[in-house]
Amino acid sequence: MLTRKTLLAASALLATTFAAWAEDPVKIGMITTLSGPAGYLGQDVRDGFKLAMEDNKLGGVPVELLVEDDGLKPGQGKQIAERFLSESGVKLFTGIVFSNVAGATVPDIVDNEAFYISPNAGPSNLAGKECSENYFVVSWQNDSLHESAGQLATNLGYKKAFILAPNYQAGKDALAGFKRFFKGEIAGEVYTRLDQTDFAAEMAQIRAAKPDVVFQFHPGGLGITFLRQYEQAGLGKEIPMVLAEPSMDGVTLAAVGEAAVGVNVSAHWNTDFDNPANKKFMEAWNKAYNRPATYYSSQGYDTGQLIASALKASGGKLDDSFRDALRKADFQSVRGKFAFGPNQHPIQDWYALKVEKGADGKPVIKTVGEVFKDHGDAYSADCKM
Amino acid sequence: MTLFLEQLLNGVQFGVMLFLMAAGLTLIFGIMGVINLAHGSIYMIGAYAGTFVATETGSFWLGIPAALAAAALAGVVIEFLVVRRLYGRDHLDQVLATFGLILIFNQAVTMLFGRQPLFVQMPSILDGSVELLPGLSYPIYRLTIILVGLLVAFGLYLLINRTRIGMLVRAGSTNREMVRALGVDVRLLYTLVFGLGALLAGLAGFMAGPILAVQIGMGEQILITTFVVVVIGGVGSIRGAFFASLILGIVDTGLRAYLPGLLRQVMVGPEADALGAGISSMGIYLLMAIVLLIRPKGLFIRNS
């Protein structure tokens, strides 16, 4: 008797949960960095993502976006993910900006058979051996940012580079990536601190090493400070700089101003890209928000579009059909061409940008050429799915 | 050699900034026995207020009184509304309350100014570099910071050692109860000291503006190092805070600049760089640990 009762109760429970599931919108857990100096990164990812939503729908499927701030703390990101998984029943995640947070959080998510679609961080370990069929990266693999900068420095004919990055995983990936494609000599290699605000000691070292180009990777507020101090130290006029896009986004440019003119940047997206998807995005962004669009916002938007295309194909179900649809990447990316490689990281083109004086005297970032065509990453061979 | 001198100046400049923060913190802790985590927020308030006024009016110089006034006002208000209730309570309550203040101030500034960092344009007279020695040119602005810091240190020295208020401050930091028993209005003294500490933090914040980004959470970045200064120098000692700041500034800069190079002599390049960066970021904490082992009360407190 008891077993029958239990069974009945269980099936009743199942029925109610099923009914609830069928009516409820698809929950999307967005864990991102909204506070602290790097808070604008997460804010842009979130607001870009929201632009891809129409009346709280993605691809015609109702969705509920749950946003939480990880405060750039890996432990906090992990806790939020656990809470979303167990309490809110979230099966689809996105949002993380920083690789150290992603490294602590993503494995938990995919181990619980939920999906994670990265709008920004693409650490090397998750692209290679620890790849997962539920883990997609819309942005880039971390190294690509800096590989393209290394190639750009080589293309521009520089022979002797001084390179700097903060002492954490993404910083090490950055210098490794740059060196992989830079053909010249390395005059000096310096690791800074992630919480460093004064770079006077490093400026003195750069001056003493007399390189003919400087490459540095300092995301968010760090990069702004670095560029300003570079200019104040009088190095701006002496030694040109080649950067990857995290060190020169729209916000950095607005803050640094004139000091940035002449800087070379490698990027996968820029505000001036001439394709219909990007024009639509830029128009929507400028209408909705009173601040410059950054590549973080473009990636948030692309992530939203990708999820929309897959939800549409799967009819709102988060199952194998959803994954298959994600793999097809059937959406119009703001960067033009877009496809996933075998490890579900993008294969895309990279471009050379240059900061120039605009018509109104304010500096603008202009696209001036190509660096890579259909560039994937170095880790996909290690990924066995 | 010029590179060494330049790094030395960098160290002194960093030390002077630390001193402006540490002077207030050590006074507040030494005299009132309050751990004030919100000191970093006052630094941020000074930076934001000064930068805002300087940008709106187009004059860097008008930013200075604005930063000082805003920071001192914020300090007095914090003392009056929150800290005053904490004098008798234990340190955990104080940490909790002032940590709460950090969150409140950070959020309030986010709401007022947004998350994007602000910048103030340097006045043209301080822009550029000056050649101190052949081959050694140094930014004028950083030299100015060193100068202002040393002047403030000298002024504080006079204030503490030559005036009646200074006498009360000194007395208060050694024996609070006795000062009260002698009929001194301790409440007023506390408010004054708190305001003075806040004023210096605001000055530091505004001077940092043109070099560093004025952004949410800027205070917390410098606050931790400031606490290290206070511990090394000895709680309540301005003289200790001054020398500890300079030592820490120079040690930190020196380690960052030279340790990877030294390590590269004995090991492979990339490993030396990574290890050097790791050790140099621990450097000041190691120094603090050593000082605590040898002189637990700090370098500049006489053992009683």
Side-chain angles (χ1 to χ4, degrees):
Chain A
M1 252 343 255
L2 193 71
T3 39
R4 189 188 284 173
K5 242 185 197 168
T6 327
L7 267 179
L8 265 176
S11 51
L13 200 72
L14 264 178
T16 47
T17 41
F18 186 78
W21 174 79
E23 283 164 18
D24 279 354
V26 176
K27 283 181 182 162
I28 302 177
M30 178 175 276
I31 305 167
T32 193
T33 305
L34 293 169
S35 55
Y40 80 83
L41 278 57
Q43 195 183 17
D44 280 0
V45 166
R46 180 194 65 195
D47 292 348
F49 190 92
K50 280 187 178 164
L51 282 185
M53 295 174 31
E54 286 162 6
D55 303 331
N56 287 321
K57 280 182 188 165
L58 277 173
V61 176
V63 293
E64 186 187 350
L65 188 65
L66 308 167
V67 185
E68 287 264 356
D69 174 22
D70 61 38
L72 221 177
K73 294 188 184 78
Q76 202 162 322
K78 198 174 151 85
Q79 276 176 13
I80 298 168
E82 279 164 7
R83 199 171 68 236
F84 274 170
L85 281 165
S86 60
E87 286 174 24
S88 316
V90 177
K91 285 280 169 204
L92 176 57
F93 288 82
T94 181
I96 299 176
V97 175
F98 285 87
S99 297
N100 51 349
V101 182
T105 313
V106 169
D108 257 14
I109 293 174
V110 294
D111 286 350
N112 280 290
E113 317 221 312
F115 285 91
Y116 183 78
I117 324 279
S118 174
N120 197 62
S124 54
N125 53 337
L126 294 176
K129 282 202 184 80
E130 294 164 47
C131 67
S132 156
E133 57 175 7
N134 279 0
Y135 173 65
F136 288 80
V137 174
V138 178
S139 44
W140 20 258
Q141 199 283 314
N142 285 356
D143 294 21
S144 314
L145 295 167
H146 313 291
E147 287 168 356
S148 57
Q151 185 65 44
L152 178 59
T154 308
N155 290 356
L156 292 168
Y158 294 121
K159 301 272 181 269
K160 199 174 161 197
F162 196 101
I163 58 180
L164 310 96
N167 190 17
Y168 76 128
Q169 191 56 46
K172 289 173 186 165
D173 287 355
L175 297 193
F178 182 85
K179 287 193 281 189
R180 197 173 293 143
F181 281 84
F182 180 63
K183 298 286 179 286
E185 169 202 353
I186 302 292
E189 189 173 337
V190 166
Y191 286 106
T192 55
R193 286 206 290 263
L194 202 49
D195 61 350
Q196 192 166 330
T197 47
D198 193 353
F199 298 96
E202 286 76 12
M203 297 305 159
Q205 281 170 281
I206 294 173
R207 199 196 315 273
K210 298 194 175 62
D212 57 19
V213 66
V214 165
F215 167 76
Q216 52 95 7
F217 165 65
H218 288 99
L222 286 177
I224 301 174
T225 328
F226 190 97
L227 279 166
R228 284 177 63 94
Q229 293 179 15
Y230 193 76
E231 181 69 17
Q232 284 166 11
L235 287 165
K237 289 175 200 70
E238 290 171 24
I239 307 166
M241 204 184 260
V242 170
L243 297 175
E245 55 187 337
S247 311
M248 183 53 77
D249 59 39
V251 171
T252 318
L253 184 67
V256 177
E258 293 260 321
V261 172
V263 169
N264 295 291
V265 188
S266 72
H268 73 297
W269 174 82
N270 192 19
T271 48
D272 67 0
F273 274 17
D274 191 19
N275 64 58
N278 193 47
K279 283 192 173 141
K280 191 175 153 210
F281 165 69
M282 285 305 294
E283 199 182 308
W285 179 273
N286 290 333
K287 208 173 126 198
Y289 309 111
N290 183 27
R291 57 180 203 265
T294 60
Y295 74 95
Y296 305 103
S297 37
S298 83
Q299 289 162 191
Y301 183 71
D302 268 0
T303 306
Q305 287 199 91
L306 171 71
I307 293 177
S309 74
L311 282 177
K312 194 173 181 185
S314 77
K317 287 200 275 298
L318 298 178
D319 54 8
D320 290 345
S321 64
F322 180 69
R323 187 182 304 116
D324 290 340
L326 283 176
R327 281 185 183 139
K328 283 190 196 122
D330 184 20
F331 71 101
Q332 292 300 315
S333 168
V334 293
R335 56 196 108 165
K337 240 165 52 180
F338 182 94
F340 281 120
N343 58 348
Q344 300 177 166
H345 284 59
I347 292 182
Q348 58 190 333
D349 298 343
W350 288 82
Y351 300 86
L353 319 181
K354 198 171 174 73
V355 182
E356 289 174 1
K357 257 202 178 138
D360 55 352
K362 279 193 179 156
V364 290
I365 308 181
K366 281 225 170 89
T367 311
V368 292
E370 272 195 8
V371 181
F372 284 134
K373 258 200 157 345
D374 295 330
H375 187 67
D377 62 84
Y379 303 98
S380 60
D382 298 332
C383 169
K384 310 265 183 292
M385 275 191 203
Chain B
M1 192 59 202
T2 52
L3 179 62
F4 177 74
L5 281 177
E6 187 175 349
Q7 298 292 27
L8 197 66
L9 279 173
N10 286 333
V12 171
Q13 184 254 314
F14 182 42
V16 157
M17 291 294 279
L18 283 177
F19 171 67
L20 289 180
M21 287 290 286
L25 205 60
T26 199
L27 278 180
I28 291 167
F29 192 42
I31 295 173
M32 310 171 200
V34 171
I35 297 182
N36 179 25
L37 292 184
H39 207 63
S41 297
I42 297 173
Y43 170 83
M44 177 177 76
I45 289 171
Y48 267 95
T51 305
F52 177 72
V53 169
T55 316
E56 288 296 305
T57 60
S59 158
F60 178 83
W61 308 109
L62 281 179
I64 299 175
L68 295 182
L73 189 70
V76 170
V77 169
I78 290 175
E79 201 274 342
F80 194 76
L81 289 182
V82 182
V83 177
R84 186 160 278 197
R85 285 154 228 285
L86 298 170
Y87 291 135
R89 321 241 324 226
D90 71 6
H91 288 325
L92 201 60
D93 290 1
Q94 297 166 353
V95 167
L96 200 61
T98 49
F99 183 71
L101 285 176
I102 293 185
L103 301 180
I104 292 170
F105 280 121
N106 279 352
Q107 198 54 42
V109 171
T110 309
M111 274 151 46
L112 282 173
F113 293 96
R115 291 185 196 286
Q116 273 78 2
L118 299 184
F119 288 96
V120 56
Q121 211 55 48
M122 224 181 262
S124 51
I125 188 170
L126 299 178
D127 211 355
S129 309
V130 60
E131 191 147 350
L132 295 175
L133 289 169
L136 171 65
S137 60
Y138 200 72
I140 301 174
Y141 189 76
R142 286 178 190 264
L143 280 179
T144 315
I145 291 183
I146 296 178
L147 197 71
V148 170
L150 293 180
L151 279 177
V152 168
F154 184 65
L156 272 180
Y157 169 80
L158 289 183
L159 182 75
I160 301 282
N161 289 306
R162 295 277 187 275
T163 65
R164 190 174 163 75
I165 289 185
M167 191 183 72
L168 291 176
V169 167
R170 272 181 294 147
S173 74
T174 19
N175 196 332
R176 218 178 316 167
E177 296 308 313
M178 186 56 84
V179 176
R180 178 179 285 169
L182 288 173
V184 175
D185 185 352
V186 184
R187 285 196 152 189
L188 184 67
L189 181 68
Y190 284 4
T191 310
L192 275 180
V193 169
F194 209 96
L196 178 67
L199 188 91
L200 294 178
L203 177 65
F206 183 63
M207 287 203 306
I211 304 185
L212 317 176
V214 176
Q215 57 193 357
I216 316 292
M218 63 187 287
E220 282 83 85
Q221 289 171 336
I222 194 168
L223 186 73
I224 298 170
T225 325
T226 311
F227 268 109
V228 177
V229 167
V230 170
V231 170
I232 290 184
V235 170
S237 160
I238 293 275
R239 201 168 67 97
F242 180 69
F243 288 110
S245 301
L246 290 185
I247 293 172
L248 225 64
I250 293 170
V251 166
D252 186 64
T253 308
L255 281 177
R256 262 196 295 145
Y258 291 108
L259 193 65
L262 289 177
L263 285 175
R264 231 174 281 151
Q265 311 284 336
V266 290
M267 43 199 301
V268 201
E271 285 175 22
D273 291 329
L275 187 68
I279 295 182
S280 63
S281 52
M282 284 191 291
I284 55 169
Y285 305 105
L286 285 178
L287 188 69
M288 177 173 75
I290 294 169
V291 168
L292 281 177
L293 268 180
I294 302 170
R295 293 180 71 103
K297 287 194 163 171
L299 282 183
F300 295 87
I301 297 278
R302 278 186 213 93
N303 285 327
S304 52

